[in-house]
């Protein structure tokens, strides 16, 4: 029996190392999101400075329609709410319900991406047509990339939560919380982007 | 019945990792191995960057372009700047010493995210190799380390794109490192260890990491836009297509001014660790040190346009950025006086580590003074883009950060290797570095004030003699590496055994074996609440009056 002791001990030691400190992964994620947010801040600052300093060249075409992006805003805001519901369901150990909300959230994200694509293909200007066209595609494209990654993350969490003793449970809900925080962040960025790019 | 005590309890991390020197080539998760990886990798790039600098100085011994073609000169200049900043100073003052020391200082067994840590390191060698090989493929970038458009858009695209990709990788590495340091310092402290009891280097790294996290992403975004301009022919920064080059400059300096503090704040922290040990006195003014670091972090984020005084900057902006920049002199001055006060009346051992630290103090003050001068618009308009700027930033970057790197190597080498370095060789190294450095960059102030522009291979013949003087200094600097390298290798093989604590230091890294074991301590991590409690026993009580400023740090 004594031969088992070392492994037992070392695994115990491992655990104490981890639990000596609370969960610090969240702070890591928040720091990362601050950094990510600064990338967007740089883009926004660039766009606003362009707007103040560089008038649209006379023959350039740059017009945006509001309906589709408004729908997009709506989709993302609702998806934030559904993600929140998924988190609540997981806390109550209602894994099935949680997974349903997750799937709904991912679908809303994918709907956003589709609608964004539709907008891209119906706009009267392309990436290199003029300064504003380029800025528009760069900003929405960079944000769309974030939505894509977020949707993939949600589907991964959805997959990991498939069995009640799986990797995402009410006790180990960090993957879900992380994805949720990220998703809210991406939605928040969209709201700012919507105001700056479409409304101002 | 005898129950055998389980043999040394090997951690899984230790079992999976190679041992011996091979582990320095592995994806090791041990913060000490990663720290040494950063240091050695950085030093190799320093040698490459130094060879490029020598090429520049050889070219500049004569007023005509004779040693290399003009476009080669541009490539060499760009590679030199990029390598020295992104592959030598930033990774070494942050990654190398940060990874090695911070877990000790907070009483942890490793960084918060060991895997992320290893990834951050392993982004560096490929990025550096890519950058250097671009020279041999299609020619490296030619637009300087600042990559200002329209120059960066009109010079050959391949080299510039490779430059952008490698800087993006290095930026990513830096951000991962920053996240790791912030979480480690804030969350992994040993229970009972207060923030205000941390060694000063922790504060420096916390401040630096905040700057890294806030500013590096802006550079990344900007370079992505620049790459669109080059590859897809968008016009963000291309005036011919309705774009705006000034926006690039703002975004670039929003990163790159903080970057100068990313290079020098950790050096401040390291000096604050080294001086108290070798003059047996507490660090003077701990609290004011902490606040000045944080003040520098805040101010450092709002001074960037002092690099753009000649870019058509409107008067209100010039005024604001002159005042904000001048204000940085206050916290910087506080730190300077604190170091001097730490040395004052101490029992200083004039070893290599202390000499390099004192060299740092002298050089940095000179560089700081020229910095303040540059922040004044009327003067800056006169000397912007001349050799005066080159002199200024080499005084702060080389005379500051690089001197501190050497000081730190002399100080921590016994801990890293368990062997002592040869002190006389180290003092000799200091002497030629100090003389060579001042001979190389001192005269450049004069060159700049008299109108020699920077970044060109040809100049007015009246500047020939002073340029040759500067090149002699550069030669001395190049030669100074030889005794250093000899010392490092010789001592690793034949140096006297150092023991755990050759300097009688009180900070936690000295309270374990040299080199330390995996996971840092055999048993519990020690609780060091007075990292600077030097000179408090009877024989050294003469220092008591000075210690008062240390507040609760002395008993
Ligand atoms: C702390 C370490 C410092 C570092 C590493 C540093 C680095 C640099 C670098 C690299 C440049 C040249 C940028 C370029 O044109 O390519 C520069 C320029 C400048 N530095 Fe510093 N600096 C430091 C401290 C200071 C201080 C303390 C001040 C003023 C309080 C200052 C003020 C300036 C100004 C105004 C310029 C612009 C000169 C010009 O381009 O016309 N620097 N510095
Ligand atoms: Cu600056």
């Amino acid at each position: 029996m004594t031969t088992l002791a070392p492994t037992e001990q070392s695994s115990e030691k491992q655990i104490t190392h981890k639990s000596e400190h609370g969960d610090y992964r969240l702070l890591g994620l928040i720091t990362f999101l601050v950094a990510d947010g600064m990338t967007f801040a740089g883009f926004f600052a660039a766009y606003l400075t362009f707007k103040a300093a560089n008038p649209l060249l006379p023959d350039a075409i740059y017009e945006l329609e509001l309906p589709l992006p408004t729908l997009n805003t709506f989709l993302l805001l609702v998806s934030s709410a559904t993600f929140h519901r998924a988190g609540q369901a997981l806390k109550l150990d209602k894994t099935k319900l949680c997974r349903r909300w997750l799937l709904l959230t991912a679908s809303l994200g994918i709907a956003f991406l589709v609608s964004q694509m539709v907008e891209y293909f119906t706009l009267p200007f392309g990436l290199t047509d003029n300064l504003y066209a380029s800025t528009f595609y760069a900003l929405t494209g960079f944000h769309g990339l974030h939505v894509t990654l977020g949707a993939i993350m949600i589907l991964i969490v959805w997959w990991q939560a498939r069995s009640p003793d799986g990797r995402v449970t009410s006790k180990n809900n960090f993957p879900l919380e992380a994805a949720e925080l990220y998703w809210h962040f991406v939605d928040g960025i969209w709201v700012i982007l919507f105001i700056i790019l479409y409304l101002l | 019945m005898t129950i055998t005590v389980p043999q040394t309890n090997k951690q899984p991390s230790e079992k999976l990792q190679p041992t011996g020197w091979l582990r320095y080539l592995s994806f090791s998760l041990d913060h000490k191995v990663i720290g040494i990886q950063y240091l050695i990798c950085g030093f190799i790039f320093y040698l490459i960057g130094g060879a490029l600098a020598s090429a520049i100085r050889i070219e500049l011994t004569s007023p005509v372009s004779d040693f290399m073609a003009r476009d080669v000169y541009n490539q060499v200049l760009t590679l030199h700047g990029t390598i020295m900043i992104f592959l030598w100073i930033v990774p070494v003052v942050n990654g190398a010493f940060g990874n090695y020391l911070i877990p000790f200082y907070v009483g942890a067994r490793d960084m918060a995210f060991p895997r992320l840590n290893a990834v951050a390191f392993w982004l560096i060698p490929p990025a550096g190799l890519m950058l250097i090989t671009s020279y041999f493929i299609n020619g490296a970038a030619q637009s300087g380390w600042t990559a200002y458009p329209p120059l960066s858009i009109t010079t050959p695209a391949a080299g510039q794109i490779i430059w952008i990709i490698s800087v993006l990788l290095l930026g990513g590495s830096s951000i991962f490192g920053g996240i790791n340091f912030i979480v480690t310092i804030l969350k992994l402290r040993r229970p009972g260890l207060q923030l205000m009891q941390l060694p000063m280097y922790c504060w420096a790294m916390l401040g630096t990491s905040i700057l890294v996290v806030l500013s590096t992403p802006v550079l990344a975004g900007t370079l992505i836009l620049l790459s669109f301009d080059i590859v897809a022919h968008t016009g963000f920064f291309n005036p011919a297509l309705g774009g705006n080059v000034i926006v690039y400059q703002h975004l670039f300096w929003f990163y790159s001014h903080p970057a100068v503090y990313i290079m020098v704040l950790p050096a401040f922290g390291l000096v604050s660790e080294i001086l108290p040990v070798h003059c047996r006195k507490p660090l003077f003014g701990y609290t004011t040190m902490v606040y000045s670091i944080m003040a520098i972090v805040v101010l450092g984020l709002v001074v960037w346009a002092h690099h753009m005084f000649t870019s058509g900057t409107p008067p209100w902006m010039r005024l604001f950025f002159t005042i904000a920049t001048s204000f940085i002199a206050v916290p910087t001055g506080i730190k300077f006086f604190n170091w001097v006060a730490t040395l004052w009346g101490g029992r200083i051992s004039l070893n290599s580590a202390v000499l390099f630290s004192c060299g740092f103090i002298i050089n940095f003050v000179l560089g700081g003074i020229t910095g303040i001068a540059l922040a004044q618009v009327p003067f800056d308009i006169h000397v912007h883009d001349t050799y005066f700027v080159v002199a200024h930033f080499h005084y702060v970057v080389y005379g500051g950060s690089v001197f501190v790197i050497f000081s730190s190597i002399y100080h921590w080498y016994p801990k890293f290797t368990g062997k002592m370095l040869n002190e006389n060789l180290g003092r000799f190294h200091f002497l030629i570095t100090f003389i060579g450095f001042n001979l190389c960059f001192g005269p450049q102030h004069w060159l700049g004030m008299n109108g020699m522009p920077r970044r060109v291979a040809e100049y007015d013949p009246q500047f020939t003699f002073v340029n040759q003087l500067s090149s002699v200094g550069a030669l001395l600097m190049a030669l100074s590496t030889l005794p250093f390298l000899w010392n490092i290798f010789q001592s690793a093989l034949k140096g006297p055994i150092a023991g755990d604590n050759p300097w009688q230091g009180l900070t936690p890294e000295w309270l374990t074996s040299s080199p330390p074991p995996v996971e840092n301590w055999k048993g519990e991590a020690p609780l060091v609440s007075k990292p600077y409690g030097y000179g408090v026993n009877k024989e050294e009580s003469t220092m008591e009056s000075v210690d008062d400023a240390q507040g609760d740090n002395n008993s």
Side-chain angles (χ1 to χ4, degrees):
Chain A
M1 276 296 97
T2 48
T3 46
L4 269 180
T7 39
E8 261 171 30
Q9 273 220 345
S10 69
S11 65
E12 221 172 73
K13 203 170 162 211
Q14 279 292 85
I15 289 161
T16 45
H17 282 187
K18 279 253 161 59
S19 55
E20 262 168 32
H21 320 277
D23 199 339
Y24 46 77
R25 289 174 295 181
L26 195 63
L27 180 64
L29 178 67
I30 292 172
T31 321
F32 173 78
L33 291 182
V34 169
D36 203 11
M38 285 308 290
T39 321
F40 279 105
F43 285 154
F44 292 152
Y47 173 76
L48 292 175
T49 320
F50 286 146
K51 241 184 126 151
N54 296 55
L56 194 63
L57 296 180
D59 52 343
I61 303 169
Y62 180 70
E63 282 154 27
L64 295 172
E65 306 275 347
L66 269 183
L68 216 48
T70 312
L71 171 72
N72 277 345
T73 312
F74 180 72
L75 287 176
L76 280 192
L77 287 180
V78 173
S79 77
S80 257
T82 55
F83 210 147
H84 186 66
R85 296 301 289 270
Q88 281 181 327
L90 186 68
K91 271 195 197 124
L92 300 174
D93 263 327
K94 295 182 184 158
T95 315
K96 261 211 182 117
L97 189 64
C98 165
R99 293 188 76 218
R100 226 172 285 151
W101 283 117
L102 280 177
L103 211 52
L104 183 59
T105 314
S107 321
L108 285 166
I110 291 166
F112 169 91
L113 289 172
V114 171
S115 143
Q116 179 80 277
M117 279 297 155
V118 173
E119 189 192 14
Y120 279 3
F121 284 113
T122 51
L123 282 174
F125 52 80
L127 172 66
T128 55
D129 282 8
N130 59 64
L131 177 61
Y132 289 92
S134 310
T135 324
F136 171 83
Y137 283 111
L139 274 173
T140 51
F142 193 58
H143 178 266
L145 197 66
H146 280 74
V147 177
T148 313
L149 291 180
I152 293 173
M153 263 163 26
I154 295 172
L155 290 176
I156 291 175
V157 175
W158 171 79
W159 180 249
Q160 286 183 337
R162 68 193 178 284
S163 70
D165 51 348
R167 300 177 58 181
V168 178
T169 59
S170 58
K171 278 199 210 80
N172 180 26
N173 64 351
F174 181 75
L176 186 134
E177 272 191 340
E180 185 181 343
L181 191 62
Y182 174 84
W183 193 254
H184 293 324
F185 164 82
V186 173
D187 290 355
I189 293 286
W190 173 261
V191 173
I192 301 172
L193 193 152
F194 179 68
I195 293 172
I196 291 183
L197 219 54
Y198 292 92
L199 299 186
L200 279 191
Chain B
M1 120 186 162
T2 51
I3 296 175
T4 44
V5 179
Q7 320 84 336
T8 42
N9 215 318
K10 287 215 167 182
Q11 290 299 310
S13 56
E14 190 180 1
K15 263 190 254 163
L16 294 176
Q17 306 284 329
T19 47
W21 63 271
L22 257 182
R23 73 199 137 127
Y24 295 109
L25 293 176
S26 76
F27 190 79
S28 172
L29 304 183
D30 182 345
H31 70 101
K32 298 179 291 297
V33 174
I34 295 177
I36 301 295
Q37 285 175 328
Y38 269 108
L39 186 59
I40 293 174
C41 174
F43 199 84
I44 293 170
F45 283 117
Y46 172 62
L47 294 179
I48 298 171
L52 294 166
S54 310
I56 294 172
R57 282 317 318 171
I58 293 172
E59 170 66 74
L60 292 177
T61 48
S62 69
V64 290
S65 167
D66 46 10
F67 181 63
M68 47 189 155
R70 293 186 183 114
D71 63 329
V72 175
Y73 182 84
N74 292 346
Q75 296 174 30
V76 168
L77 190 80
T78 304
L79 284 179
H80 162 73
T82 312
I83 288 175
M84 288 304 199
I85 291 172
F86 293 114
L87 289 157
W88 158 237
I89 299 182
V90 173
V92 170
V93 291
N94 291 279
F97 294 106
N99 273 305
Y100 203 96
L101 297 173
I102 293 292
F104 281 111
Y105 286 176
V106 300
R109 298 193 185 273
D110 211 309
M111 297 286 288
F113 307 110
R115 210 157 263 116
L116 186 68
N117 206 13
V119 171
F121 169 73
W122 281 107
L123 284 174
I124 292 179
L129 285 180
M130 230 166 65
L131 187 67
I132 290 164
T133 42
S134 73
Y135 175 85
F136 300 100
I137 299 171
N138 245 325
Q142 294 193 36
S143 51
W145 82 280
T146 48
Y148 271 14
L151 196 58
S152 48
I153 304 175
T154 45
T155 43
Q160 194 64 51
I161 285 293
I162 295 180
W163 182 90
I164 290 176
I165 295 173
S166 74
V167 172
L168 284 176
L169 290 177
L170 296 168
S173 156
S174 184
I175 293 173
F176 291 158
I179 292 173
N180 227 333
F181 287 125
I182 290 179
V183 178
T184 306
I185 295 170
L186 292 182
K187 289 283 185 181
L188 250 65
R189 259 169 301 129
R190 184 197 187 289
L193 186 61
Q194 308 292 313
L195 273 177
M196 289 307 267
Q197 294 170 334
L198 288 175
M200 194 52 60
Y201 183 56
C202 294
W203 284 101
M205 282 308 295
L206 185 62
T208 308
S209 302
I210 292 172
L211 285 178
V212 166
V213 164
L214 291 179
S215 64
T216 315
V218 177
L219 176 74
T222 313
L223 292 183
I224 290 172
L225 294 186
L226 184 65
S227 67
F228 273 113
D229 276 5
I230 296 170
V231 178
H233 304 291
T234 53
F236 296 111
F237 306 127
N238 190 347
L241 300 176
N244 189 331
V245 288
I246 303 298
V247 171
Y248 177 88
Q249 297 189 9
H250 276 296
L251 293 173
F252 178 82
W253 288 112
F254 181 80
Y255 164 74
S256 289
H257 181 80
V260 308
Y261 289 102
I262 293 169
M263 289 187 273
V264 93
L265 272 183
F268 288 176
L270 293 167
V271 167
S272 308
E273 301 308 331
I274 295 167
L275 289 179
V277 179
H278 295 284
C279 58
R280 314 310 299 164
K281 277 184 55 196
L283 181 66
F284 188 90
Y286 181 93
T287 323
T288 56
M289 276 306 211
V290 172
Y291 287 122
S292 28
I293 287 174
M294 290 307 156
I296 289 177
V297 169
V298 174
L299 284 172
L301 284 168
V302 293
V303 298
W304 74 87
H306 64 216
H307 297 271
M308 301 168 55
F309 285 149
T310 59
S311 305
T313 325
W316 65 265
M317 215 187 253
R318 289 178 164 184
L319 190 66
F320 173 81
F321 282 100
T322 290
I323 294 174
T325 307
S326 306
F327 262 117
I328 292 206
V330 177
T332 315
I334 291 175
K335 299 183 73 69
F336 166 73
F337 286 116
N338 281 341
W339 291 318
V340 175
T342 306
L343 285 165
W344 197 270
R347 289 204 326 231
I348 307 171
S349 16
L350 269 188
N351 53 30
S352 326
V354 173
L355 285 172
F356 270 103
S357 280
C358 292
F360 152 81
I361 296 178
I362 295 167
N363 296 331
F364 189 76
V365 165
L366 293 171
I369 289 172
T370 54
I372 298 293
L374 284 170
Q376 316 310 315
V377 178
F379 181 71
D380 185 65
I381 289 174
H382 180 61
V383 295
H384 173 69
D385 258 345
T386 69
Y387 260 80
F388 191 87
V389 175
V390 177
H392 156 67
F393 68 74
H394 282 91
Y395 263 82
V396 280
V397 181
Y398 195 102
S401 306
V402 178
F403 269 63
V404 173
I405 293 173
F406 282 125
S407 178
S408 307
I409 293 175
Y410 283 107
H411 181 71
W412 278 290
Y413 185 87
K415 182 51 63 180
F416 293 166
T417 61
K419 302 283 179 62
M420 297 303 282
L421 283 169
N422 181 329
E423 279 300 331
N424 285 332
L425 214 49
R427 292 193 187 101
F428 177 64
H429 172 213
F430 168 75
L431 201 69
I432 30 178
T433 312
F434 191 74
I435 295 172
F437 167 76
N438 279 289
L439 188 60
C440 181
F441 294 108
Q444 293 184 0
H445 292 107
W446 183 87
L447 286 173
M449 301 254 270
N450 286 279
M452 178 172 161
R454 62 192 281 207
R455 287 180 167 161
V456 280
E458 294 169 16
Y459 53 84
D460 195 284
Q462 58 162 316
F463 298 130
T464 312
F465 174 70
V466 181
N467 266 300
Q468 287 169 347
L469 210 61
S470 177
S471 293
V472 172
L475 178 67
L476 277 182
M477 287 167 78
L479 291 179
S480 76
T481 342
L482 298 178
F484 174 73
L485 281 175
W486 171 259
N487 203 350
I488 292 290
F489 285 116
Q490 182 69 10
S491 305
L493 298 175
K494 300 202 183 120
I497 302 294
D500 292 357
N501 193 355
W503 313 124
Q504 307 298 319
L506 295 180
T507 39
E509 81 274 27
W510 300 108
L511 309 180
T512 182
S513 58
S514 309
V518 173
E519 305 230 309
N520 299 346
W521 290 281
K522 284 270 149 52
E524 275 267 298
L527 176 62
V528 177
S529 54
K530 295 185 178 71
Y532 301 116
Y534 299 103
V536 289
N537 43 1
K538 298 220 175 51
E539 327 83 89
E540 295 176 6
S541 59
T542 41
M543 270 76 93
E544 240 158 38
S545 53
V546 192
D547 295 348
D548 290 348
Q550 185 62 12
D552 59 3
N553 255 20
N554 53 35
S555 37

